[in-house]
Structure formats: structure tokens, C-alpha cells
Amino acid sequence: MLNKENSELAINGGNPISNAKILIHKPYMDEDDFDSVDKVTRSTFVSGDGPECRIFEKGLAEYLDVKHVLFVNSATSALELAFRVKSFPAGSEVIVPNFTYTSTAIAALYNNLNVVLADVYPDNGSLDVSKLKSYITKKTVAIAPVDYGGIPAEMDEIMNIANQHGLYVVHDTAQSIGSEYKGKKTGCQGHVSTFSFHGTKNLTTGEGGAFVTNDDSIADRVKILREKGTDKYSFLTDNKDRGYYEYVDIGNSYVQSNINGALGISQLNKLDWMNNERRKIAEFYKNELSGIKEIDFMRITEGSNHNWHLFGVLVLLEDRYWIMDALRAEGVLANVHYTPLHRNKYYSCLGEDRDFPGSIEFFNRLLRLPIYPSLSSVDAQRVTQAIAKVFL
Ligand SMILES: Cc1ncc(COP(=O)(O)O)c(C=O)c1O
């Protein structure tokens, strides 16, 4: 039971559980990361699509068990390329979950496609498959499911519907590196998958992303599009030492520096370890908090393994902001996440609250707690102590 008047709470002037603020996320970096960046910087090969980038791409393709990984400067760029490569007619429709980051929608809009927002499940923010068919029209060309928080979307059901209607699936796996769906890593379920290596993600290259596909012709064209419309990729691969690569298409500059590639390699080497550290914290939270009846946990998709990118709890909607403020006063930097797209100025023409009951309920209840490999067990304990204090 919440007792908002409790004078022992830091929000009411009591002593906080932690004097130092416990951050909500923090990238994990160790000596290997510092060494690999140092080495590549000293080598002075710092420009794009260098040897370290190629090694990282190969290692990641093996890890994900996919044919093609193309390292790019962000997941936003990977998403944009995912639509660019198909050259769909302007005005075609892409179904995007209402509860996502702006990049999923921007990618379609940037390619002159229209976004149709779809509702999500109220207990985990994942695309609500039972409603999916209702958004399909004659103009629909693609679906862009999102693995919110690292929890895989229901990809078998989504691919079945997509195949029945001949739709292209861009799987926004920005948050789910290392998660598994039905025994396979996320990244091979859709036609294209797009990972993020932004500083908040489980594997980071500072900024960065990966364009992932098993389709050779899609990969071949994206190699050109991400390198300013040139055939430099194959020029380098074939070790041509005469002449010059050619300008064969239009494109943009989405390649990554060799420095980011080096960081990708050292991060990938410890990805499973880092995800396991997150898992231990998640299990600790679940054990400690499961007795608090006002708290629910996010539902994990059946048959999947979670990389614990985020740890979210679902609380009473009318008290969510008070709980967040009370935890922050205790020194725990809890946070809310994604405002549903239609509630943002730019997307307000795409629907109203009543169109997305699942998304609104999820948004109203979700509170994120700190989770990252370097979170000490003492701090994880402080997080659960702060929650217990607030819910006493
Ligand atoms: C679901 C989703 N898609 C795309 C992105 C964009 O990633 P990036 O910052 O690498 O462009 C994010 C970023 O957090 C995200 O959460």
C-alpha cells in the first residue's frame, strides 16, 4: 500500500536510501575496449568501412547466424535503408507499432511512405497481433514490428500474416541484440532487421547500428546505398589496386569509422557475458519485488529469451509519476519511456488515445528501473529497498 504521507520517505524530507544517484543505464567498457580503440587510432586507419568494421560484421553475422551484416552509423539509418532499398511507390502504407521510438516511423516517412499506427499489448508494448490484420489495406506494403525493451515481438504470427498478404517485414531489433526467439537469435526472422549500438544499448559502438538480412540482392544494393551510391564495397573486397571505384547509384554516407568497428569487436566478445550480468540483476529484482502486489512485470513473449535491455515494472497508472518522483528522491533514477507516437506533435494526426487502448495502458503504467552490467549488487539492493520503502 502506498503511503504518500510517510515522513520517512525522502520525497517528504526523510533520508534517502542512496546519497549517490543510481543511474538508469550505463555502457559497459573495459580494458579490452580501451585497448582496441587505442590500437586502431594509433594505426591511423580511422576512415569508414575499414578492416575492423569488416571483422565486426563477420563476427556479428556468425553470432546472429545470418548471411549479411552491414555496419552503419545508427539504427535510424539502417531503418531508412530498409525502406529505401525496396523503392516502394510514394504513399504506400507501413504498419508501425504506436509504442516505439520515432526512428521506426521516420524511416518510412523519409521514403515518402505513409505510416499507419497499430496498437500494442498492454502488458509488454509489443505489436498486438490480434489487431494486425485490421490495419492492412490495398496500399499496405510493409510491417515494422519492434522488440520493445529487448522482448522479441511475436514474429511467427507476424510473418504468417505478412506472407499471406505479400508484405515486407522490417524487424526493428534496435534493443534486442542477443535475445532469442524460438531458439534463434533475433535478426533472422524478418526480411531485414535493424540493430542499434547507441550508448544506451547492450552492445555499444558509441553511435552505430547494423543492417541485417539473409537476402543477397537487398544486401548488395545496401552496400552501395550506404557508401554514397558507389561500388567501393566490392572494389575493396576484390582487392582491386588499379583504377577507382565507380558511382553507380545515389546514396548517402552511412558507413562507420574503423574506430567504431574496433569497439564493436571488443564489445561483441563479451556480449553474452554482459547480457548474463543483466539477467542476474533482473532475476534479483523479480525475486525481491514479486511480493509487492501493486507491481506487475512485463510479459515476456512465449518461446523467447530476453536480453534484459530494459527492466520495466507496471504500476498503478494514477500513481506512476508520484512513484517515479519518490524513487528519484531515494536516489534511484527510475524513468518513464516512449510517449506513444500519436501523442507527439509530429504524429498527432495519426490517431487519438481511443484508437490505441493497449498502448495507452502500457504507457500509463510503465516505470523503468536501473539495469546494466556494472550495476553493483549493493546498488541493485538499494533499488529494491527504495521500492519496498515507497510501497510499504
Ligand atoms: C526501437 C528503436 N528503434 C530505433 C532506434 C534508433 O536507434 P539509433 O539511435 O541507433 O538510431 C531506437 C533507439 O533507441 C529504438 O529504441
Side-chain angles (χ1 to χ4, degrees):
M1 260 297 268
L2 292 176
N3 175 6
K4 293 188 185 175
E5 312 306 321
N6 180 357
S7 60
E8 286 184 15
L9 292 175
I11 196 171
N12 295 330
N15 289 328
I17 294 278
S18 176
N19 286 319
K21 298 290 178 204
I22 302 175
L23 300 178
I24 188 138
H25 49 62
K26 197 173 175 186
Y28 183 84
M29 302 265 166
D30 62 16
E31 290 303 321
D32 273 348
D33 298 307
F34 307 142
D35 276 356
S36 53
V37 168
D38 184 58
K39 260 190 213 135
V40 77
T41 313
R42 287 175 197 280
S43 81
T44 73
F45 193 148
V46 292
S47 34
D49 191 22
E52 305 299 308
C53 297
R54 296 280 177 105
I55 294 170
F56 175 51
E57 288 176 341
K58 192 164 173 285
L60 190 56
E62 275 163 21
Y63 179 83
L64 298 173
D65 195 18
V66 293
K67 271 174 103 172
H68 305 283
V69 168
L70 298 172
F71 189 30
V72 290
N73 53 7
S74 67
T76 307
S77 297
L79 284 158
E80 192 196 320
L81 287 166
F83 292 107
R84 175 69 42 87
V85 72
K86 295 298 278 188
S87 307
F88 289 122
S92 303
E93 292 173 0
V94 179
I95 299 171
V96 172
N98 175 262
F99 195 84
T100 186
Y101 193 57
T102 188
S103 303
T104 328
I106 280 179
L109 294 170
Y110 233 69
N111 284 288
N112 298 316
L113 306 173
N114 291 340
V115 165
V116 174
L117 295 181
D119 203 11
V120 301
Y121 293 119
D123 55 0
N124 68 4
S126 189
L127 190 64
D128 184 339
V129 169
S130 70
K131 297 180 180 171
L132 183 53
K133 279 188 183 163
S134 70
Y135 304 109
I136 298 176
T137 71
K138 282 191 181 131
K139 287 187 170 178
T140 309
V141 290
I143 310 171
V146 175
D147 292 346
Y148 178 68
I151 298 177
E154 292 174 356
M155 290 307 292
D156 275 359
E157 290 81 353
I158 292 167
M159 290 310 292
N160 276 341
I161 294 174
N163 289 337
Q164 279 163 24
H165 295 265
L167 303 177
Y168 175 62
V169 174
V170 176
H171 188 186
D172 182 340
T173 49
Q175 303 185 349
S176 71
I177 188 88
S179 292
E180 289 175 0
Y181 178 75
K182 311 235 166 133
K184 293 190 159 197
K185 293 275 183 320
T186 58
C188 64
Q189 292 78 15
H191 297 106
V192 166
S193 300
T194 54
F195 289 94
S196 172
F197 306 131
H198 177 258
T200 52
K201 300 302 188 294
N202 292 29
L203 180 163
T204 186
T205 58
E207 296 281 349
F211 181 100
V212 172
T213 186
N214 280 323
D215 184 312
D216 297 341
S217 60
I218 287 180
D220 284 346
R221 177 126 200 265
V222 169
K223 284 172 189 166
I224 290 168
L225 292 175
R226 75 164 178 172
E227 189 54 288
K228 304 123 195 135
T230 74
D231 63 1
K232 188 172 172 189
Y233 185 96
S234 53
F235 184 83
L236 293 177
T237 307
D238 299 342
N239 287 323
K240 288 189 189 142
D241 52 8
R242 293 214 230 170
Y244 206 64
Y245 53 84
E246 207 180 335
Y247 315 147
V248 293
D249 201 339
I250 59 160
N252 213 322
S253 186
Y254 298 122
V255 284
Q256 278 286 63
S257 157
N258 213 25
I259 304 173
N260 301 81
L263 190 52
I265 297 169
S266 52
Q267 286 272 301
L268 181 59
N269 284 340
K270 54 180 166 279
L271 177 60
D272 284 340
W273 176 83
M274 292 192 290
N275 283 350
N276 201 41
E277 292 302 296
R278 288 172 177 270
R279 183 179 320 282
K280 286 189 214 162
I281 295 164
E283 276 164 13
F284 173 74
Y285 284 167
K286 281 197 165 183
N287 277 338
E288 296 294 307
L289 303 178
S290 56
I292 302 175
K293 67 176 187 328
E294 293 94 340
I295 287 182
D296 290 321
F297 300 112
M298 280 166 62
R299 178 176 56 84
I300 300 174
T301 302
E302 221 184 296
S304 70
N305 259 330
H306 189 354
N307 70 353
W308 295 105
H309 172 56
L310 302 181
F311 190 93
V313 288
L314 303 175
V315 297
L316 302 167
L317 65 95
E318 58 280 14
D319 294 322
R320 180 175 72 146
Y321 283 109
W322 182 84
I323 296 167
M324 183 180 85
D325 291 342
L327 288 174
R328 288 184 170 191
E330 299 297 339
V332 175
L333 296 184
N335 211 347
V336 298
H337 211 205
Y338 297 158
T339 307
L341 284 181
H342 75 282
R343 281 206 181 172
N344 290 272
K345 189 172 152 196
Y346 190 68
Y347 298 105
S348 58
C349 55
L350 294 184
E352 296 174 30
D353 281 5
R354 65 166 180 265
D355 301 323
F356 311 106
S359 179
I360 293 298
E361 185 180 333
F362 184 62
F363 169 66
N364 281 337
R365 296 190 62 206
L366 178 68
L367 200 57
R368 289 172 47 207
L369 302 178
I371 188 162
Y372 39 92
S374 60
L375 184 73
S376 68
S377 51
V378 172
D379 276 349
Q381 239 159 19
R382 288 187 177 125
V383 172
T384 56
Q385 278 163 5
I387 295 172
K389 188 176 168 191
V390 165
F391 278 91
L392 214 102

Short mmCIF file of all heavy atoms in Angstrom, two decimals, residues 74-77 79 100-101 103-104 146 172 174-175 195-198 200-201 207-209 338, ligand 1:
data_model
loop_
_atom_site.label_atom_id
_atom_site.label_comp_id
_atom_site.label_asym_id
_atom_site.label_seq_id
_atom_site.Cartn_x
_atom_site.Cartn_y
_atom_site.Cartn_z
N SER A 74 23.87 4.22 -37.50
CA SER A 74 22.79 4.19 -36.49
C SER A 74 21.71 3.20 -36.94
O SER A 74 21.65 2.82 -38.12
CB SER A 74 22.15 5.58 -36.33
OG SER A 74 21.46 5.94 -37.49
N ALA A 75 20.85 2.83 -36.00
CA ALA A 75 19.70 2.01 -36.36
C ALA A 75 18.73 2.83 -37.20
O ALA A 75 18.04 2.30 -38.07
CB ALA A 75 19.01 1.49 -35.11
N THR A 76 18.70 4.13 -36.96
CA THR A 76 17.81 5.00 -37.74
C THR A 76 18.21 4.92 -39.22
O THR A 76 17.34 4.79 -40.09
CB THR A 76 17.92 6.46 -37.23
OG1 THR A 76 17.69 6.46 -35.82
CG2 THR A 76 16.92 7.36 -37.91
N SER A 77 19.53 4.96 -39.49
CA SER A 77 19.99 4.83 -40.88
C SER A 77 19.65 3.45 -41.44
O SER A 77 19.25 3.32 -42.60
CB SER A 77 21.50 5.04 -40.96
OG SER A 77 21.84 6.33 -40.56
N LEU A 79 17.19 1.54 -40.63
CA LEU A 79 15.76 1.51 -40.91
C LEU A 79 15.44 2.27 -42.20
O LEU A 79 14.65 1.82 -43.04
CB LEU A 79 14.98 2.12 -39.74
CG LEU A 79 14.85 1.22 -38.49
CD1 LEU A 79 14.57 2.06 -37.23
CD2 LEU A 79 13.74 0.19 -38.68
N THR A 100 6.69 3.08 -29.95
CA THR A 100 8.06 2.88 -30.40
C THR A 100 8.78 4.21 -30.42
O THR A 100 8.17 5.27 -30.19
CB THR A 100 8.12 2.22 -31.79
OG1 THR A 100 9.49 1.93 -32.12
CG2 THR A 100 7.55 3.10 -32.88
N TYR A 101 10.07 4.14 -30.72
CA TYR A 101 10.87 5.35 -30.88
C TYR A 101 10.55 5.93 -32.26
O TYR A 101 10.16 5.21 -33.18
CB TYR A 101 12.35 4.97 -30.78
CG TYR A 101 13.28 6.13 -30.60
CD1 TYR A 101 13.13 7.01 -29.55
CD2 TYR A 101 14.31 6.35 -31.50
CE1 TYR A 101 13.99 8.07 -29.39
CE2 TYR A 101 15.18 7.41 -31.35
CZ TYR A 101 15.01 8.27 -30.29
OH TYR A 101 15.86 9.32 -30.13
N SER A 103 12.29 6.71 -34.72
CA SER A 103 13.05 6.21 -35.87
C SER A 103 12.29 5.18 -36.71
O SER A 103 12.44 5.14 -37.93
CB SER A 103 14.36 5.57 -35.39
OG SER A 103 15.08 6.50 -34.63
N THR A 104 11.51 4.32 -36.06
CA THR A 104 10.78 3.29 -36.81
C THR A 104 9.86 3.95 -37.84
O THR A 104 9.75 3.52 -38.99
CB THR A 104 9.94 2.40 -35.86
OG1 THR A 104 10.61 2.28 -34.61
CG2 THR A 104 9.67 1.05 -36.45
N VAL A 146 8.53 -4.14 -33.52
CA VAL A 146 9.62 -3.65 -32.67
C VAL A 146 9.78 -4.60 -31.47
O VAL A 146 8.80 -5.04 -30.89
CB VAL A 146 9.27 -2.23 -32.15
CG1 VAL A 146 10.31 -1.73 -31.16
CG2 VAL A 146 9.13 -1.25 -33.32
N ASP A 172 12.43 -4.15 -36.32
CA ASP A 172 13.22 -3.17 -35.56
C ASP A 172 13.73 -3.85 -34.29
O ASP A 172 13.05 -3.88 -33.25
CB ASP A 172 12.35 -1.95 -35.25
CG ASP A 172 13.15 -0.86 -34.52
OD1 ASP A 172 14.19 -1.18 -33.93
OD2 ASP A 172 12.69 0.30 -34.52
N ALA A 174 16.34 -2.89 -32.65
CA ALA A 174 17.28 -1.92 -32.07
C ALA A 174 17.69 -2.31 -30.65
O ALA A 174 18.84 -2.13 -30.26
CB ALA A 174 16.66 -0.53 -32.07
N GLN A 175 16.74 -2.87 -29.89
CA GLN A 175 17.01 -3.11 -28.46
C GLN A 175 17.28 -4.57 -28.13
O GLN A 175 17.49 -4.89 -26.96
CB GLN A 175 15.81 -2.61 -27.64
CG GLN A 175 15.49 -1.14 -27.89
CD GLN A 175 14.39 -0.63 -26.97
OE1 GLN A 175 13.73 -1.41 -26.28
NE2 GLN A 175 14.19 0.67 -26.97
N PHE A 195 19.62 -3.28 -35.93
CA PHE A 195 20.08 -3.19 -34.54
C PHE A 195 20.67 -1.81 -34.26
O PHE A 195 21.19 -1.16 -35.17
CB PHE A 195 21.17 -4.24 -34.28
CG PHE A 195 20.64 -5.65 -34.24
CD1 PHE A 195 20.67 -6.44 -35.39
CD2 PHE A 195 20.10 -6.18 -33.08
CE1 PHE A 195 20.16 -7.74 -35.36
CE2 PHE A 195 19.60 -7.46 -33.04
CZ PHE A 195 19.63 -8.25 -34.19
N SER A 196 20.62 -1.42 -33.00
CA SER A 196 21.25 -0.16 -32.58
C SER A 196 22.42 -0.45 -31.64
O SER A 196 22.32 -1.31 -30.76
CB SER A 196 20.23 0.72 -31.84
OG SER A 196 20.89 1.84 -31.29
N PHE A 197 23.50 0.31 -31.82
CA PHE A 197 24.66 0.22 -30.92
C PHE A 197 24.92 1.56 -30.26
O PHE A 197 26.06 1.93 -29.94
CB PHE A 197 25.90 -0.26 -31.69
CG PHE A 197 25.67 -1.54 -32.46
CD1 PHE A 197 26.03 -1.64 -33.79
CD2 PHE A 197 25.07 -2.63 -31.85
CE1 PHE A 197 25.80 -2.81 -34.50
CE2 PHE A 197 24.83 -3.81 -32.55
CZ PHE A 197 25.20 -3.89 -33.88
N HIS A 198 23.84 2.31 -30.09
CA HIS A 198 23.89 3.58 -29.36
C HIS A 198 24.39 3.32 -27.94
O HIS A 198 24.29 2.20 -27.43
CB HIS A 198 22.45 4.14 -29.36
CG HIS A 198 22.28 5.39 -28.60
ND1 HIS A 198 21.74 5.43 -27.33
CD2 HIS A 198 22.58 6.67 -28.92
CE1 HIS A 198 21.72 6.68 -26.91
NE2 HIS A 198 22.21 7.45 -27.86
N THR A 200 23.29 3.61 -25.10
CA THR A 200 22.38 3.03 -24.10
C THR A 200 22.15 1.53 -24.33
O THR A 200 21.52 0.88 -23.50
CB THR A 200 21.00 3.72 -24.17
OG1 THR A 200 20.56 3.67 -25.54
CG2 THR A 200 21.07 5.15 -23.71
N LYS A 201 22.63 0.99 -25.44
CA LYS A 201 22.26 -0.39 -25.81
C LYS A 201 23.20 -1.43 -25.18
O LYS A 201 24.28 -1.09 -24.69
CB LYS A 201 22.27 -0.54 -27.33
CG LYS A 201 21.29 0.41 -28.04
CD LYS A 201 19.86 0.21 -27.59
CE LYS A 201 18.85 0.99 -28.42
NZ LYS A 201 18.96 2.45 -28.30
N GLU A 207 27.90 5.54 -31.21
CA GLU A 207 26.72 5.54 -32.07
C GLU A 207 26.94 4.39 -33.04
O GLU A 207 28.08 3.99 -33.29
CB GLU A 207 26.58 6.85 -32.85
CG GLU A 207 26.35 8.09 -32.01
CD GLU A 207 24.92 8.26 -31.51
OE1 GLU A 207 24.02 7.53 -31.99
OE2 GLU A 207 24.71 9.11 -30.63
N GLY A 208 25.88 3.86 -33.60
CA GLY A 208 26.08 2.78 -34.58
C GLY A 208 24.85 1.91 -34.71
O GLY A 208 23.93 1.97 -33.89
N GLY A 209 24.85 1.12 -35.76
CA GLY A 209 23.74 0.21 -35.99
C GLY A 209 24.15 -0.86 -36.98
O GLY A 209 25.23 -0.81 -37.55
N TYR A 338 9.12 6.01 -23.90
CA TYR A 338 8.33 6.36 -25.08
C TYR A 338 6.93 6.92 -24.78
O TYR A 338 6.05 6.21 -24.30
CB TYR A 338 8.07 5.13 -25.93
CG TYR A 338 9.25 4.44 -26.51
CD1 TYR A 338 9.11 3.10 -26.88
CD2 TYR A 338 10.45 5.07 -26.72
CE1 TYR A 338 10.16 2.42 -27.46
CE2 TYR A 338 11.51 4.39 -27.30
CZ TYR A 338 11.36 3.06 -27.65
OH TYR A 338 12.38 2.38 -28.21
C1 LIG B 1 13.00 0.80 -31.13
C2 LIG B 1 14.10 1.71 -31.59
N1 LIG B 1 14.31 1.86 -32.90
C3 LIG B 1 15.29 2.66 -33.36
C4 LIG B 1 16.11 3.36 -32.50
C5 LIG B 1 17.17 4.27 -33.06
O1 LIG B 1 18.46 3.83 -32.75
P1 LIG B 1 19.72 4.72 -33.12
O2 LIG B 1 19.91 5.70 -32.02
O3 LIG B 1 20.86 3.76 -33.24
O4 LIG B 1 19.44 5.39 -34.42
C6 LIG B 1 15.93 3.23 -31.13
C7 LIG B 1 16.79 3.98 -30.19
O5 LIG B 1 16.73 3.88 -29.01
C8 LIG B 1 14.90 2.39 -30.66
O6 LIG B 1 14.67 2.24 -29.35
#
